[in-house]
Amino acid sequence: MFDLQGRVAIVTGASRGIGRAIAVTLARQGAWVGVNYARNAQAAEETLAAMRAAGGDGELLPFDVSDSAAVTEAVDGLAARRGGLHIAVANAGIAVDGLLLRMKDDDLARTFATNVNGALYLARASVRLMMKAKWGRFLAVSSVVGQTGNVGQTAYAASKAALEGAARSIAREYASRNITANVIAPGFIDTDMTAALPDAMRSKILEGVPLGRLGSAEDVAAAALYLASNEAGYVTGQVLNVNGGLYV
């Protein structure tokens, strides 16, 4: 099950955390994975090394997801080199935290440029190629915050909620071409970001998680693998929550 041999994938924001785990997992199952990153080349190299250690392979794709032309060029180049594109994972995202009344126009613009526009640019560039292959999987990584809201994260929550509407629309538009579109909504995942939280805050968060632990990046990657596989061919327009029961 979940065999991705012969598939070509791209994962944005794959230099660390959830993106890295997804890239490694897809590569382990046989996909050739384009590892996107914006700035940290060393971290991206580490992702590629981890993919190879897991028995897979891929290549580095440095570009800014908020740059439409750069996204299209990278996706088209990957497809030209590898004979197509089948799986696109929009994982790259930023969080500019702050109360609404203190939010600057630039903070809002940057958040949506990366989190929403970047995902749509990737989807638009990828769907054209998936139509040629008559098979495709588009995945967007959202957040539980997009469902529940959170104090100090109005822009981030709005951007993540937007991904759900986008994926549902893409699912309807391209279902007849054997292309699915789904969203993964992680809860609190043990990454560099959550590692920086004070112990008191981490304890408070865990009180609200029925499973009693933070999730791992691999928990999210397992969900991505399923949605990217043949086995999920009848699943589209859905949001798969990976949150330990935090939001049900």
Side-chain angles (χ1 to χ4, degrees), residues 38-106:
R39 288 174 295 276
N40 196 335
Q42 180 177 346
E45 289 280 6
E46 291 170 0
T47 297
L48 187 57
M51 287 161 48
R52 289 169 174 164
D57 209 346
E59 62 186 90
L60 301 182
L61 296 174
F63 64 87
D64 182 343
V65 297
S66 68
D67 183 336
S68 174
V71 173
T72 300
E73 181 180 359
V75 170
D76 286 349
L78 174 63
R81 290 187 295 275
R82 302 304 304 179
L85 181 79
H86 309 95
I87 301 164
V89 183
N91 168 74
I94 62 171
V96 184
D97 295 342
L99 296 175
L100 176 63
L101 292 180
R102 298 175 182 173
M103 188 184 305
K104 298 177 181 178
D105 290 352
D106 183 61

Short mmCIF file of all heavy atoms in Angstrom, two decimals, residues 38-106:
data_model
loop_
_atom_site.label_atom_id
_atom_site.label_comp_id
_atom_site.label_asym_id
_atom_site.label_seq_id
_atom_site.Cartn_x
_atom_site.Cartn_y
_atom_site.Cartn_z
N ALA A 38 13.28 28.56 0.70
CA ALA A 38 13.44 29.96 0.30
C ALA A 38 14.82 30.50 0.60
O ALA A 38 15.41 31.22 -0.20
CB ALA A 38 12.39 30.82 0.99
N ARG A 39 15.40 30.15 1.77
CA ARG A 39 16.66 30.75 2.18
C ARG A 39 17.69 29.75 2.73
O ARG A 39 18.87 29.87 2.44
CB ARG A 39 16.41 31.84 3.25
CG ARG A 39 15.75 33.10 2.69
CD ARG A 39 15.39 34.06 3.80
NE ARG A 39 14.37 33.50 4.67
CZ ARG A 39 13.07 33.57 4.42
NH1 ARG A 39 12.63 34.14 3.32
NH2 ARG A 39 12.20 33.05 5.25
N ASN A 40 17.24 28.79 3.54
CA ASN A 40 18.18 27.95 4.28
C ASN A 40 18.62 26.74 3.43
O ASN A 40 18.07 25.65 3.53
CB ASN A 40 17.54 27.48 5.58
CG ASN A 40 18.55 26.94 6.56
OD1 ASN A 40 19.63 26.49 6.17
ND2 ASN A 40 18.24 26.99 7.84
N ALA A 41 19.65 26.96 2.62
CA ALA A 41 20.13 25.90 1.73
C ALA A 41 20.70 24.72 2.52
O ALA A 41 20.52 23.56 2.12
CB ALA A 41 21.19 26.46 0.78
N GLN A 42 21.38 25.00 3.62
CA GLN A 42 21.97 23.92 4.40
C GLN A 42 20.89 22.99 4.96
O GLN A 42 21.01 21.77 4.90
CB GLN A 42 22.81 24.48 5.55
CG GLN A 42 23.45 23.39 6.41
CD GLN A 42 24.33 23.96 7.51
OE1 GLN A 42 24.68 25.13 7.50
NE2 GLN A 42 24.67 23.13 8.49
N ALA A 43 19.81 23.59 5.47
CA ALA A 43 18.72 22.77 6.00
C ALA A 43 18.06 21.96 4.89
O ALA A 43 17.70 20.79 5.09
CB ALA A 43 17.69 23.66 6.69
N ALA A 44 17.93 22.54 3.71
CA ALA A 44 17.36 21.81 2.58
C ALA A 44 18.25 20.65 2.17
O ALA A 44 17.76 19.56 1.83
CB ALA A 44 17.15 22.76 1.40
N GLU A 45 19.55 20.86 2.21
CA GLU A 45 20.50 19.78 1.92
C GLU A 45 20.33 18.64 2.94
O GLU A 45 20.42 17.46 2.58
CB GLU A 45 21.93 20.30 1.97
CG GLU A 45 22.31 21.22 0.81
CD GLU A 45 22.66 20.46 -0.46
OE1 GLU A 45 22.51 19.22 -0.47
OE2 GLU A 45 23.09 21.11 -1.44
N GLU A 46 20.05 19.00 4.18
CA GLU A 46 19.84 17.98 5.21
C GLU A 46 18.57 17.18 4.93
O GLU A 46 18.52 15.97 5.17
CB GLU A 46 19.77 18.65 6.58
CG GLU A 46 21.10 19.23 7.03
CD GLU A 46 20.98 20.10 8.27
OE1 GLU A 46 19.84 20.26 8.79
OE2 GLU A 46 22.01 20.64 8.74
N THR A 47 17.55 17.86 4.42
CA THR A 47 16.33 17.15 4.03
C THR A 47 16.63 16.16 2.91
O THR A 47 16.21 15.00 2.95
CB THR A 47 15.24 18.14 3.56
OG1 THR A 47 14.88 18.99 4.65
CG2 THR A 47 14.00 17.40 3.07
N LEU A 48 17.36 16.61 1.90
CA LEU A 48 17.70 15.74 0.78
C LEU A 48 18.53 14.54 1.25
O LEU A 48 18.31 13.40 0.81
CB LEU A 48 18.46 16.53 -0.28
CG LEU A 48 18.77 15.82 -1.60
CD1 LEU A 48 17.50 15.32 -2.27
CD2 LEU A 48 19.54 16.76 -2.53
N ALA A 49 19.45 14.78 2.17
CA ALA A 49 20.26 13.69 2.71
C ALA A 49 19.38 12.69 3.47
O ALA A 49 19.59 11.47 3.37
CB ALA A 49 21.34 14.26 3.64
N ALA A 50 18.41 13.19 4.21
CA ALA A 50 17.50 12.31 4.94
C ALA A 50 16.65 11.48 3.99
O ALA A 50 16.38 10.30 4.24
CB ALA A 50 16.61 13.13 5.87
N MET A 51 16.24 12.09 2.89
CA MET A 51 15.48 11.36 1.87
C MET A 51 16.31 10.22 1.30
O MET A 51 15.82 9.09 1.13
CB MET A 51 15.05 12.31 0.76
CG MET A 51 13.94 13.27 1.16
SD MET A 51 13.81 14.72 0.06
CE MET A 51 13.86 13.97 -1.57
N ARG A 52 17.57 10.50 1.01
CA ARG A 52 18.44 9.48 0.44
C ARG A 52 18.75 8.39 1.45
O ARG A 52 18.82 7.20 1.10
CB ARG A 52 19.71 10.13 -0.08
CG ARG A 52 19.45 10.95 -1.34
CD ARG A 52 20.62 11.82 -1.75
NE ARG A 52 20.35 12.47 -3.05
CZ ARG A 52 21.03 13.50 -3.53
NH1 ARG A 52 22.05 14.00 -2.84
NH2 ARG A 52 20.70 14.03 -4.69
N ALA A 53 18.89 8.78 2.72
CA ALA A 53 19.13 7.78 3.76
C ALA A 53 17.92 6.86 3.93
O ALA A 53 18.07 5.70 4.34
CB ALA A 53 19.44 8.49 5.08
N ALA A 54 16.75 7.37 3.60
CA ALA A 54 15.52 6.57 3.70
C ALA A 54 15.29 5.72 2.46
O ALA A 54 14.28 5.01 2.38
CB ALA A 54 14.32 7.50 3.93
N GLY A 55 16.19 5.81 1.49
CA GLY A 55 16.08 5.00 0.29
C GLY A 55 15.41 5.70 -0.87
O GLY A 55 15.15 5.07 -1.91
N GLY A 56 15.14 7.00 -0.72
CA GLY A 56 14.51 7.76 -1.79
C GLY A 56 15.47 8.75 -2.41
O GLY A 56 16.68 8.71 -2.18
N ASP A 57 14.93 9.67 -3.21
CA ASP A 57 15.79 10.68 -3.83
C ASP A 57 14.93 11.85 -4.29
O ASP A 57 13.70 11.82 -4.26
CB ASP A 57 16.55 10.09 -5.01
CG ASP A 57 17.88 10.79 -5.25
OD1 ASP A 57 18.10 11.87 -4.68
OD2 ASP A 57 18.71 10.24 -6.01
N GLY A 58 15.61 12.89 -4.74
CA GLY A 58 14.92 14.07 -5.22
C GLY A 58 15.92 15.14 -5.58
O GLY A 58 17.09 14.85 -5.87
N GLU A 59 15.48 16.39 -5.53
CA GLU A 59 16.35 17.50 -5.88
C GLU A 59 15.92 18.75 -5.14
O GLU A 59 14.78 18.84 -4.64
CB GLU A 59 16.31 17.75 -7.39
CG GLU A 59 14.93 18.13 -7.92
CD GLU A 59 14.91 18.22 -9.43
OE1 GLU A 59 14.63 17.17 -10.09
OE2 GLU A 59 15.14 19.32 -9.95
N LEU A 60 16.82 19.72 -5.06
CA LEU A 60 16.53 20.98 -4.38
C LEU A 60 15.92 21.97 -5.35
O LEU A 60 16.35 22.09 -6.50
CB LEU A 60 17.81 21.56 -3.78
CG LEU A 60 18.55 20.69 -2.77
CD1 LEU A 60 19.76 21.43 -2.23
CD2 LEU A 60 17.63 20.26 -1.64
N LEU A 61 14.92 22.72 -4.86
CA LEU A 61 14.24 23.71 -5.67
C LEU A 61 14.13 25.02 -4.88
O LEU A 61 13.14 25.26 -4.18
CB LEU A 61 12.83 23.23 -6.04
CG LEU A 61 12.74 21.99 -6.93
CD1 LEU A 61 11.28 21.57 -7.09
CD2 LEU A 61 13.38 22.25 -8.29
N PRO A 62 15.15 25.88 -4.99
CA PRO A 62 15.10 27.14 -4.26
C PRO A 62 14.23 28.17 -4.97
O PRO A 62 14.50 28.55 -6.10
CB PRO A 62 16.57 27.58 -4.25
CG PRO A 62 17.16 26.96 -5.48
CD PRO A 62 16.43 25.68 -5.69
N PHE A 63 13.16 28.60 -4.31
CA PHE A 63 12.34 29.70 -4.82
C PHE A 63 11.41 30.18 -3.71
O PHE A 63 11.13 29.47 -2.75
CB PHE A 63 11.54 29.30 -6.06
CG PHE A 63 10.50 28.22 -5.84
CD1 PHE A 63 9.22 28.52 -5.41
CD2 PHE A 63 10.81 26.89 -6.11
CE1 PHE A 63 8.26 27.53 -5.23
CE2 PHE A 63 9.87 25.89 -5.93
CZ PHE A 63 8.59 26.21 -5.49
N ASP A 64 10.93 31.40 -3.88
CA ASP A 64 9.99 32.02 -2.95
C ASP A 64 8.58 31.73 -3.44
O ASP A 64 8.21 32.11 -4.56
CB ASP A 64 10.25 33.53 -2.90
CG ASP A 64 9.36 34.25 -1.91
OD1 ASP A 64 8.34 33.68 -1.47
OD2 ASP A 64 9.68 35.41 -1.57
N VAL A 65 7.77 31.07 -2.62
CA VAL A 65 6.44 30.67 -3.07
C VAL A 65 5.53 31.87 -3.34
O VAL A 65 4.52 31.73 -4.03
CB VAL A 65 5.75 29.74 -2.04
CG1 VAL A 65 6.53 28.45 -1.87
CG2 VAL A 65 5.53 30.44 -0.71
N SER A 66 5.87 33.04 -2.82
CA SER A 66 5.05 34.21 -3.07
C SER A 66 5.35 34.86 -4.42
O SER A 66 4.69 35.83 -4.81
CB SER A 66 5.24 35.25 -1.96
OG SER A 66 6.55 35.80 -1.99
N ASP A 67 6.31 34.32 -5.15
CA ASP A 67 6.69 34.81 -6.48
C ASP A 67 6.06 33.89 -7.52
O ASP A 67 6.54 32.77 -7.77
CB ASP A 67 8.21 34.82 -6.61
CG ASP A 67 8.71 35.37 -7.93
OD1 ASP A 67 7.96 35.33 -8.93
OD2 ASP A 67 9.87 35.82 -7.97
N SER A 68 4.99 34.34 -8.14
CA SER A 68 4.23 33.50 -9.08
C SER A 68 5.11 32.95 -10.20
O SER A 68 5.06 31.75 -10.52
CB SER A 68 3.08 34.32 -9.67
OG SER A 68 2.42 33.59 -10.67
N ALA A 69 5.91 33.81 -10.82
CA ALA A 69 6.75 33.37 -11.94
C ALA A 69 7.76 32.33 -11.49
O ALA A 69 8.03 31.35 -12.21
CB ALA A 69 7.46 34.57 -12.56
N ALA A 70 8.33 32.51 -10.30
CA ALA A 70 9.32 31.57 -9.79
C ALA A 70 8.69 30.21 -9.52
O ALA A 70 9.30 29.16 -9.78
CB ALA A 70 9.96 32.12 -8.52
N VAL A 71 7.47 30.20 -9.00
CA VAL A 71 6.77 28.94 -8.74
C VAL A 71 6.54 28.19 -10.05
O VAL A 71 6.86 27.00 -10.17
CB VAL A 71 5.43 29.19 -8.03
CG1 VAL A 71 4.64 27.89 -7.92
CG2 VAL A 71 5.65 29.79 -6.65
N THR A 72 6.01 28.88 -11.04
CA THR A 72 5.72 28.24 -12.32
C THR A 72 6.99 27.71 -12.97
O THR A 72 7.02 26.59 -13.51
CB THR A 72 5.02 29.24 -13.26
OG1 THR A 72 3.79 29.66 -12.66
CG2 THR A 72 4.73 28.59 -14.60
N GLU A 73 8.05 28.51 -12.94
CA GLU A 73 9.32 28.08 -13.55
C GLU A 73 9.86 26.83 -12.87
O GLU A 73 10.32 25.89 -13.54
CB GLU A 73 10.34 29.21 -13.45
CG GLU A 73 11.69 28.87 -14.07
CD GLU A 73 12.70 30.01 -13.96
OE1 GLU A 73 12.34 31.07 -13.42
OE2 GLU A 73 13.85 29.82 -14.42
N ALA A 74 9.81 26.79 -11.54
CA ALA A 74 10.33 25.64 -10.80
C ALA A 74 9.50 24.39 -11.06
O ALA A 74 10.04 23.29 -11.28
CB ALA A 74 10.36 25.94 -9.31
N VAL A 75 8.17 24.53 -11.05
CA VAL A 75 7.29 23.38 -11.27
C VAL A 75 7.46 22.86 -12.69
O VAL A 75 7.59 21.64 -12.91
CB VAL A 75 5.83 23.77 -10.99
CG1 VAL A 75 4.87 22.67 -11.45
CG2 VAL A 75 5.63 24.04 -9.50
N ASP A 76 7.47 23.75 -13.67
CA ASP A 76 7.64 23.32 -15.06
C ASP A 76 9.00 22.67 -15.28
O ASP A 76 9.11 21.67 -16.00
CB ASP A 76 7.50 24.52 -16.00
CG ASP A 76 6.06 24.98 -16.16
OD1 ASP A 76 5.14 24.25 -15.72
OD2 ASP A 76 5.85 26.07 -16.73
N GLY A 77 10.04 23.22 -14.64
CA GLY A 77 11.37 22.64 -14.78
C GLY A 77 11.45 21.25 -14.20
O GLY A 77 12.04 20.34 -14.80
N LEU A 78 10.88 21.07 -13.02
CA LEU A 78 10.86 19.75 -12.40
C LEU A 78 10.14 18.75 -13.28
O LEU A 78 10.64 17.63 -13.51
CB LEU A 78 10.19 19.84 -11.03
CG LEU A 78 9.97 18.52 -10.28
CD1 LEU A 78 11.30 17.84 -9.95
CD2 LEU A 78 9.15 18.75 -9.00
N ALA A 79 8.99 19.14 -13.80
CA ALA A 79 8.22 18.23 -14.65
C ALA A 79 8.96 17.90 -15.94
O ALA A 79 8.93 16.75 -16.41
CB ALA A 79 6.86 18.86 -14.97
N ALA A 80 9.66 18.87 -16.50
CA ALA A 80 10.41 18.63 -17.73
C ALA A 80 11.54 17.64 -17.50
O ALA A 80 11.82 16.78 -18.34
CB ALA A 80 10.96 19.95 -18.27
N ARG A 81 12.20 17.77 -16.36
CA ARG A 81 13.34 16.87 -16.05
C ARG A 81 12.89 15.46 -15.70
O ARG A 81 13.59 14.50 -16.01
CB ARG A 81 14.17 17.46 -14.90
CG ARG A 81 14.95 18.71 -15.27
CD ARG A 81 15.88 19.12 -14.15
NE ARG A 81 15.17 19.53 -12.93
CZ ARG A 81 14.69 20.74 -12.70
NH1 ARG A 81 14.82 21.69 -13.63
NH2 ARG A 81 14.08 21.05 -11.57
N ARG A 82 11.71 15.36 -15.05
CA ARG A 82 11.30 14.06 -14.52
C ARG A 82 10.12 13.43 -15.27
O ARG A 82 9.64 12.37 -14.91
CB ARG A 82 10.93 14.20 -13.04
CG ARG A 82 12.04 14.74 -12.17
CD ARG A 82 13.31 13.92 -12.26
NE ARG A 82 13.12 12.52 -11.94
CZ ARG A 82 14.07 11.60 -11.97
NH1 ARG A 82 15.31 11.94 -12.32
NH2 ARG A 82 13.82 10.34 -11.66
N GLY A 83 9.64 14.10 -16.31
CA GLY A 83 8.58 13.51 -17.11
C GLY A 83 7.17 13.73 -16.60
O GLY A 83 6.25 12.99 -16.97
N GLY A 84 6.99 14.73 -15.76
CA GLY A 84 5.64 15.05 -15.27
C GLY A 84 5.64 15.46 -13.82
O GLY A 84 6.70 15.50 -13.16
N LEU A 85 4.47 15.77 -13.31
CA LEU A 85 4.29 16.10 -11.89
C LEU A 85 2.96 15.51 -11.44
O LEU A 85 1.95 15.66 -12.13
CB LEU A 85 4.29 17.61 -11.66
CG LEU A 85 4.14 18.00 -10.19
CD1 LEU A 85 5.48 17.85 -9.47
CD2 LEU A 85 3.64 19.43 -10.03
N HIS A 86 2.98 14.86 -10.29
CA HIS A 86 1.79 14.14 -9.82
C HIS A 86 1.29 14.59 -8.46
O HIS A 86 0.10 14.49 -8.18
CB HIS A 86 2.08 12.64 -9.77
CG HIS A 86 2.66 12.09 -11.02
ND1 HIS A 86 4.03 11.96 -11.21
CD2 HIS A 86 2.07 11.68 -12.17
CE1 HIS A 86 4.25 11.46 -12.42
NE2 HIS A 86 3.10 11.28 -13.03
N ILE A 87 2.20 15.04 -7.61
CA ILE A 87 1.85 15.38 -6.22
C ILE A 87 2.42 16.74 -5.88
O ILE A 87 3.61 16.99 -6.09
CB ILE A 87 2.43 14.33 -5.24
CG1 ILE A 87 1.89 12.93 -5.56
CG2 ILE A 87 2.12 14.72 -3.79
CD1 ILE A 87 2.69 11.81 -4.91
N ALA A 88 1.58 17.63 -5.38
CA ALA A 88 2.03 18.96 -4.96
C ALA A 88 1.54 19.22 -3.54
O ALA A 88 0.34 19.14 -3.27
CB ALA A 88 1.51 20.03 -5.90
N VAL A 89 2.47 19.53 -2.66
CA VAL A 89 2.15 19.77 -1.25
C VAL A 89 2.50 21.21 -0.91
O VAL A 89 3.68 21.58 -0.87
CB VAL A 89 2.91 18.81 -0.32
CG1 VAL A 89 2.50 19.05 1.14
CG2 VAL A 89 2.66 17.36 -0.71
N ALA A 90 1.48 22.02 -0.66
CA ALA A 90 1.67 23.42 -0.28
C ALA A 90 1.82 23.50 1.22
O ALA A 90 0.83 23.58 1.97
CB ALA A 90 0.50 24.26 -0.76
N ASN A 91 3.06 23.46 1.67
CA ASN A 91 3.34 23.45 3.10
C ASN A 91 3.96 24.76 3.59
O ASN A 91 3.83 25.11 4.76
CB ASN A 91 4.28 22.29 3.42
CG ASN A 91 4.85 22.38 4.84
OD1 ASN A 91 4.16 22.13 5.82
ND2 ASN A 91 6.11 22.78 4.94
N ALA A 92 4.63 25.50 2.72
CA ALA A 92 5.33 26.72 3.15
C ALA A 92 4.35 27.70 3.79
O ALA A 92 3.25 27.93 3.28
CB ALA A 92 6.00 27.38 1.94
N GLY A 93 4.77 28.26 4.91
CA GLY A 93 3.91 29.22 5.59
C GLY A 93 4.69 30.05 6.58
O GLY A 93 5.77 29.66 7.03
N ILE A 94 4.14 31.21 6.90
CA ILE A 94 4.72 32.08 7.92
C ILE A 94 3.63 32.50 8.89
O ILE A 94 2.44 32.47 8.56
CB ILE A 94 5.39 33.33 7.32
CG1 ILE A 94 4.34 34.20 6.58
CG2 ILE A 94 6.52 32.95 6.38
CD1 ILE A 94 4.87 35.55 6.16
N ALA A 95 4.05 32.88 10.08
CA ALA A 95 3.13 33.40 11.09
C ALA A 95 3.69 34.71 11.61
O ALA A 95 4.79 34.74 12.15
CB ALA A 95 2.96 32.40 12.22
N VAL A 96 2.95 35.78 11.42
CA VAL A 96 3.30 37.09 11.97
C VAL A 96 2.28 37.38 13.06
O VAL A 96 1.19 37.86 12.79
CB VAL A 96 3.27 38.18 10.88
CG1 VAL A 96 3.74 39.52 11.47
CG2 VAL A 96 4.15 37.79 9.70
N ASP A 97 2.64 37.04 14.29
CA ASP A 97 1.69 37.12 15.38
C ASP A 97 1.55 38.54 15.93
O ASP A 97 2.49 39.33 15.90
CB ASP A 97 2.12 36.19 16.52
CG ASP A 97 2.07 34.72 16.11
OD1 ASP A 97 1.40 34.41 15.12
OD2 ASP A 97 2.71 33.89 16.80
N GLY A 98 0.35 38.83 16.41
CA GLY A 98 0.09 40.13 17.01
C GLY A 98 -1.40 40.39 17.02
O GLY A 98 -2.15 39.87 16.19
N LEU A 99 -1.85 41.18 17.98
CA LEU A 99 -3.27 41.51 18.07
C LEU A 99 -3.70 42.30 16.83
O LEU A 99 -2.91 43.03 16.23
CB LEU A 99 -3.54 42.32 19.33
CG LEU A 99 -3.28 41.58 20.65
CD1 LEU A 99 -3.47 42.53 21.82
CD2 LEU A 99 -4.21 40.38 20.80
N LEU A 100 -4.95 42.17 16.49
CA LEU A 100 -5.48 42.79 15.27
C LEU A 100 -5.20 44.30 15.23
O LEU A 100 -4.79 44.83 14.20
CB LEU A 100 -6.99 42.55 15.18
CG LEU A 100 -7.71 43.22 14.02
CD1 LEU A 100 -7.20 42.69 12.69
CD2 LEU A 100 -9.22 43.00 14.14
N LEU A 101 -5.40 44.99 16.34
CA LEU A 101 -5.24 46.45 16.35
C LEU A 101 -3.79 46.89 16.16
O LEU A 101 -3.53 48.04 15.83
CB LEU A 101 -5.79 47.04 17.64
CG LEU A 101 -7.32 46.95 17.80
CD1 LEU A 101 -7.75 47.56 19.13
CD2 LEU A 101 -8.03 47.62 16.64
N ARG A 102 -2.87 45.95 16.35
CA ARG A 102 -1.45 46.27 16.16
C ARG A 102 -0.90 45.74 14.84
O ARG A 102 0.28 45.92 14.55
CB ARG A 102 -0.64 45.69 17.32
CG ARG A 102 -1.01 46.29 18.68
CD ARG A 102 -0.26 45.61 19.80
NE ARG A 102 -0.65 46.15 21.11
CZ ARG A 102 -0.26 45.65 22.28
NH1 ARG A 102 0.54 44.59 22.30
NH2 ARG A 102 -0.67 46.19 23.41
N MET A 103 -1.75 45.10 14.08
CA MET A 103 -1.30 44.49 12.84
C MET A 103 -1.05 45.55 11.77
O MET A 103 -1.86 46.43 11.54
CB MET A 103 -2.36 43.51 12.33
CG MET A 103 -1.93 42.67 11.14
SD MET A 103 -3.32 41.64 10.57
CE MET A 103 -3.74 40.79 12.08
N LYS A 104 0.11 45.46 11.14
CA LYS A 104 0.46 46.38 10.07
C LYS A 104 0.00 45.82 8.73
O LYS A 104 -0.12 44.61 8.55
CB LYS A 104 1.97 46.61 10.06
CG LYS A 104 2.51 47.24 11.34
CD LYS A 104 4.02 47.38 11.28
CE LYS A 104 4.57 47.98 12.57
NZ LYS A 104 6.05 48.08 12.55
N ASP A 105 -0.24 46.72 7.79
CA ASP A 105 -0.66 46.28 6.46
C ASP A 105 0.34 45.31 5.86
O ASP A 105 -0.03 44.32 5.23
CB ASP A 105 -0.82 47.49 5.53
CG ASP A 105 -2.01 48.35 5.89
OD1 ASP A 105 -2.81 47.94 6.76
OD2 ASP A 105 -2.14 49.44 5.29
N ASP A 106 1.62 45.57 6.07
CA ASP A 106 2.66 44.71 5.51
C ASP A 106 2.62 43.31 6.12
O ASP A 106 2.88 42.32 5.43
CB ASP A 106 4.03 45.34 5.71
CG ASP A 106 5.15 44.52 5.08
OD1 ASP A 106 5.12 44.33 3.85
OD2 ASP A 106 6.03 44.05 5.83
#
